[in-house]
Amino acid sequence: MRQTENILERIAKQGIVLGDGGYLIELERRGWVDSGWGSEKVGTGKGCGQFTPEVAIENPEALRQLHREFLNAGSEVLQALTFFGTREKLNRAGYGGQTEAINDAAVRIAREVAGNKALVAGSVSRTQLFEREGRSAANHVRDLITEQVRLLADAGVDFLILETFFHLEEMLIAIECSRASKLPILATMTFRPTLTQCSDGHSPSDCARKMVDAGAAIVGVNCEQEPDRILAITREMRKAVSVPIAAQPSAFRTTDAVPCFTKLPQFPDEMESIQLPRNAFERFAEKAHEEGIQFLGGCCGCNAAYIHAFARGLAATTETAQRNVS
Ligand SMILES: [Zn+2]
C-alpha cells in the first residue's frame, strides 16, 4: 500500500522524520553480503568493490528481517536495498543480468514490511565510475542512473534517496536523472577524505546550494563520519539553504587525521574495534532539532539498536518541548 502523505508533508507536519539504518554492512556481518575482501585487492580501483545488493533475490528473508527490525525500532522510512544497484556495478560483481530483478525485489520486500506504517524510499548511490574513470564517465553514469531510477519508479517507491556520492558532478547528474520520475528527491553527499570539501572540491554549503538548485527537495550528508563529526557539515549546509537538512551518520569512530571510516586501516575487517556506542546516536537525536536537521537516519554500522537510540533521543526532546509549552 502506498502512503498518501509524502515525505515533505510528513516533515512539515512532524518537524523531524526518522529513517532507518545501514543495510549492507549489517547484512555483511550477518553473512549475507560479500565485502569483496576475500576475492580482490580492495582499493586498487580494479576490483569490483563488491557490497552489492543481490541478497534481495538470493536471501530475501534476511533482508526482510532487517527491514522488520528497523520498523520495530521506530523507522518511519524504509530504504529499499538498491544501493550499488546500477547495472555496471552489478555486472562487475556478476549480477548485471539480474539488475531488474534485484531492484524490483528490493522495493517489493521493503513495501511488504512497510505496509501502511512507513514510507519506502529507493536508494540510488554513486556508480563508482567517477572514482574509477574520471569525468569522462559522465554520459555512461547518466545512462546507468536513468535506468535505475526508472526501475525504482516502476516498482513504486514513494521517494528517492540519492546517497554516498563523493563527486558533486555525479550527484548533479543523478538529480537530473531523478527529476524525470517526479518523485521527491532527498540528496546527501559524502565527504571523503576531508570534511571541508567533497572529492571534486566543493564545500558543504556549495554542495547544498547546487543540489537544491538542481531539484533536490531535501539535502544533507551521509556515511563516513560519526554524529559529532558530521555536524560540522550539516551546520554549513543549514546556513546555505532553507530546505530540510538530512543527516545519516555512520557508527564508526574516526580520527582528526582520517575523518572517514573507509580510509581507516580497520575497514572492512576490524570495524568492531571502532564501533561507536549507540548512546552517541541518542545524544545526536536530542540535538537534531536545534541543529535544523529534519531527516535523521543511520548509515554504515547502524543496526536497529541505533535507530531505537535515535527514537529515544527524539522522544526526549519532544517531551521537553511539551513540558516547556505546558
Ligand atoms: Zn554508509
Side-chain angles (χ1 to χ4, degrees):
M1 187 195 303
R2 244 188 217 246
Q3 297 263 320
T4 50
E5 187 175 57
N6 77 28
I7 181 65
L8 296 166
E9 291 162 344
R10 188 169 287 214
I11 287 173
K13 192 165 89 181
Q14 297 178 194
I16 298 178
V17 167
L18 180 57
D20 58 6
Y23 286 87
L24 287 167
I25 297 268
E26 181 64 19
L27 288 169
E28 193 270 339
R29 285 176 168 176
R30 296 180 186 192
W32 304 112
V33 162
D34 188 350
S35 73
W37 207 245
S39 55
E40 63 186 67
K41 184 129 175 51
V42 177
T44 60
K46 296 194 169 61
C48 165
Q50 198 96 17
F51 278 113
T52 40
E54 64 276 6
V55 60
I57 55 171
E58 294 194 335
N59 293 288
E61 188 49 36
L63 178 56
R64 196 173 285 123
Q65 178 60 28
L66 186 52
H67 280 311
R68 278 197 209 106
E69 293 167 21
F70 285 136
L71 186 70
N72 186 54
S75 295
E76 300 169 284
V77 169
L78 294 181
Q79 293 192 72
L81 181 54
T82 52
F83 190 98
F84 280 160
T86 42
R87 186 175 297 274
E88 189 277 340
K89 167 71 177 176
L90 289 173
N91 214 24
R92 270 185 273 141
Y95 291 92
Q98 282 107 299
T99 304
E100 290 88 350
I102 290 170
N103 280 277
D104 193 59
V107 175
R108 186 166 32 77
I109 291 165
R111 179 69 69 191
E112 265 170 42
V113 176
N116 60 6
K117 296 196 182 109
L119 294 167
V120 172
S123 166
V124 177
S125 64
R126 72 182 186 283
T127 60
Q128 294 182 323
L129 292 182
F130 265 74
E131 290 77 31
R132 296 167 69 92
E133 299 173 9
R135 300 180 64 195
S136 63
N139 285 335
H140 191 191
V141 165
R142 187 172 283 111
D143 291 345
L144 291 165
I145 296 182
T146 296
E147 179 188 40
Q148 192 186 21
V149 167
R150 181 174 52 74
L151 293 175
L152 296 175
D154 287 352
V157 297
D158 295 310
F159 69 105
L160 295 169
I161 294 182
L162 316 183
E163 59 179 354
T164 327
F165 283 77
F166 295 156
H167 289 80
L168 179 63
E169 185 177 353
E170 187 180 22
M171 169 61 94
L172 296 179
I173 292 171
I175 294 173
E176 183 193 320
C177 298
S178 300
R179 276 168 46 197
S181 71
K182 306 269 195 269
L183 294 166
I185 299 167
L186 184 160
T188 56
M189 290 293 295
T190 296
F191 288 78
R192 193 183 82 160
T194 74
L195 304 180
T196 51
Q197 283 190 343
C198 63
S199 291
D200 49 355
H202 299 274
S203 67
S205 54
D206 199 22
C207 287
R209 272 191 292 268
K210 290 197 163 83
M211 291 191 286
V212 170
D213 289 348
I218 303 160
V219 298
V221 55
N222 77 291
C223 206
E224 290 289 0
Q225 289 91 31
E226 64 271 52
D228 284 350
R229 236 178 262 281
I230 226 164
L231 268 181
I233 301 168
T234 60
R235 282 175 184 158
E236 290 295 309
M237 291 185 161
R238 179 68 292 163
K239 281 188 258 173
V241 296
S242 57
V243 303
I245 296 291
Q248 304 214 71
S250 74
F252 300 116
R253 188 179 291 108
T254 65
T255 65
D256 289 343
V258 185
C260 44
F261 78 83
T262 62
K263 293 277 189 198
L264 287 170
Q266 288 88 351
F267 178 75
D269 285 342
E270 294 175 40
M271 292 192 313
E272 288 77 8
S273 68
I274 53 168
Q275 181 79 41
L276 207 66
R278 68 188 77 162
N279 60 6
F281 280 64
E282 185 171 348
R283 289 195 302 271
F284 187 62
E286 287 169 358
K287 282 191 273 188
H289 190 74
E290 68 188 73
E291 295 286 347
I293 294 166
Q294 294 187 273
F295 184 91
L296 196 58
C299 202
C300 301
C302 296
N303 61 20
Y306 290 75
I307 299 307
H308 196 220
F310 265 157
R312 271 201 314 269
L314 290 176
T317 43
T318 311
E319 280 165 24
T320 307
Q322 280 166 353
R323 273 199 298 275
N324 289 343
V325 171
S326 58

